[in-house]
Amino acid sequence: MEIRIFETCRQACQAAALVMGAQIVSKPDSILGLATGSTPIPAYQELIRLYQEGIVDFSRVRSFNLDEYVGIPEDHPCSYHRFMRDELFDHVNILKENTHVPSGLSRDLEGDALAYDAAIEAAGGLDIQLLGIGRNGHIGFNEPADVFTPQCHVVELTESTIDANKRFFDSADDVPRRAVSLGVGTIMKAATVLLIATGEDKAEAVRLSVKGEITPRVPASILKAHRHVLFFLDQAAASRL
Ligand code: GLP
C-alpha cells in the first residue's frame, strides 16, 4: 500500500489524474475502472484538461464504472450514467460504445451483474480501478457486511450511505434503497487500484482501512491485500493516520 498525502484536495486529485493519464499514455487501449461521487470530480476535470491539451487520447480507451442505483432512469440527474456523461465522457474523445455502467433498470439485475463481470473479464480485466471511499468505509457500493462479496451484485444501501448521498437528491426519501456494484473480487483483480479520499469526514474510514484489520465491516480494508494500491489523501483525510 502506497500512501501519498497532499496538502489540498485539489493536489490529491490532480496527482490521481496524472496517474490515470500516464496509464492511458503508456497503454492507449487501457481498460479503466471508473468511480462516481464528488471526490473524483477534480480528477476528471484535470483529465479533461490533459485531453484538451492533446496529452491524453481516449479514442481507444474502454471503461467500466463501479456502480449504479437501482430504479432510476439513465438520464436522471442523480444517475451514475448521467454523472459520467456530465463529468467526463461528454468532454473527451472516448467512444460511447466503449463506456460501460452497470444497469440499474434491468428486469434481471443479478443476471446482468454477472454478465457485467464477464464483460470486464473478456476485455482483459481492469488496468486501473479508481475509487472513492464512503464514510463507513464502503468502496463502490460494497457496504459493511459479514462477508466480502466478490462478484458484481445487487446491494441494499445502508442508512449511512443514504444519509451521505441524500445531498444529491431532493430528500432522503428519494435516494434509491438498492444499487448494483462491482464486488471486491473484481476490484482486487485490477492491476492497480487508486483510491482518493479527501476531507475530514473520510478520516476515520481511512484510518480503519489503513491501520485496522482486514474485515468486511470496513470494505476498503481489503485493499491492504492488493499488490499495487495507491491511497492519495489530502491532509484532512489523513489526519487520523
Ligand atoms: C457513493 C459511491 C462511491 C463513492 C462514495 C463517496 O456511495 N457509490 O463510489 O466513493 O459515494 O462519495 P463522495 O466522493 O461523494 O464522498
Side-chain angles (χ1 to χ4, degrees):
M1 174 175 271
E2 293 180 36
I3 299 173
R4 304 265 188 283
I5 301 170
F6 298 87
E7 213 171 297
T8 66
C9 155
R10 179 126 215 116
Q11 288 165 342
C13 287
Q14 282 186 318
L18 288 178
V19 172
M20 300 289 286
Q23 168 66 43
I24 300 168
V25 171
S26 63
K27 184 176 178 240
D29 59 349
S30 285
I31 312 291
L32 307 182
L34 298 178
T36 55
S38 48
T39 305
I41 291 176
Y44 290 145
Q45 289 169 348
E46 182 65 9
L47 272 176
I48 292 166
R49 191 186 67 77
L50 291 171
Y51 159 71
Q52 287 169 341
E53 294 192 359
I55 299 164
V56 175
D57 171 18
F58 287 81
S59 62
R60 295 172 59 205
V61 165
R62 282 176 287 169
S63 71
F64 290 88
N65 261 79
L66 270 175
D67 47 16
E68 178 57 285
Y69 290 111
V70 168
I72 58 175
E74 290 182 4
D75 60 358
H76 186 287
C78 297
S79 89
Y80 289 167
H81 281 79
R82 172 81 176 267
F83 175 99
M84 289 311 300
R85 288 203 305 271
D86 290 352
E87 302 298 339
L88 183 67
F89 297 156
D90 283 354
H91 308 285
V92 297
N93 66 334
I94 196 164
L95 300 177
K96 190 172 182 317
E97 60 268 30
N98 286 344
T99 66
H100 307 274
V101 179
S103 169
L105 290 174
S106 156
R107 267 187 286 174
D108 178 14
L109 288 169
E110 293 286 0
D112 274 12
L114 294 180
Y116 194 76
D117 269 339
I120 294 175
E121 193 84 25
L126 301 169
D127 289 303
I128 186 164
Q129 174 66 62
L130 181 64
L131 293 176
I133 186 169
R135 291 186 310 206
N136 62 5
H138 75 231
I139 47 176
F141 270 131
N142 290 277
E143 295 281 37
D146 294 334
V147 290
F148 287 113
T149 304
Q151 76 282 2
C152 191
H153 59 295
V154 180
V155 185
E156 298 288 332
L157 299 181
T158 61
E159 283 308 317
S160 154
T161 297
I162 291 166
D163 184 59
N165 290 2
K166 71 181 182 203
R167 68 191 193 277
F168 300 111
F169 291 81
D170 289 339
S171 75
D173 288 343
D174 294 317
V175 183
R177 266 39 193 172
R178 290 190 303 156
V180 179
S181 178
L182 276 194
V184 292
T186 309
I187 293 170
M188 290 294 282
K189 274 194 243 164
T192 296
V193 174
L194 171 56
L195 182 145
I196 315 173
T198 54
E200 164 66 29
D201 62 336
K202 302 295 174 66
E204 185 60 10
V206 168
R207 184 184 74 79
L208 290 170
S209 306
V210 172
K211 301 261 193 215
E213 55 168 6
I214 295 179
T215 165
R217 291 271 133 221
V218 183
S221 65
I222 199 168
L223 298 173
K224 276 206 287 270
H226 194 280
R227 63 195 177 285
H228 188 217
V229 59
L230 308 166
F231 272 38
F232 283 8
L233 312 173
D234 68 357
Q235 278 183 343
S239 59
R240 293 195 198 166
L241 291 181

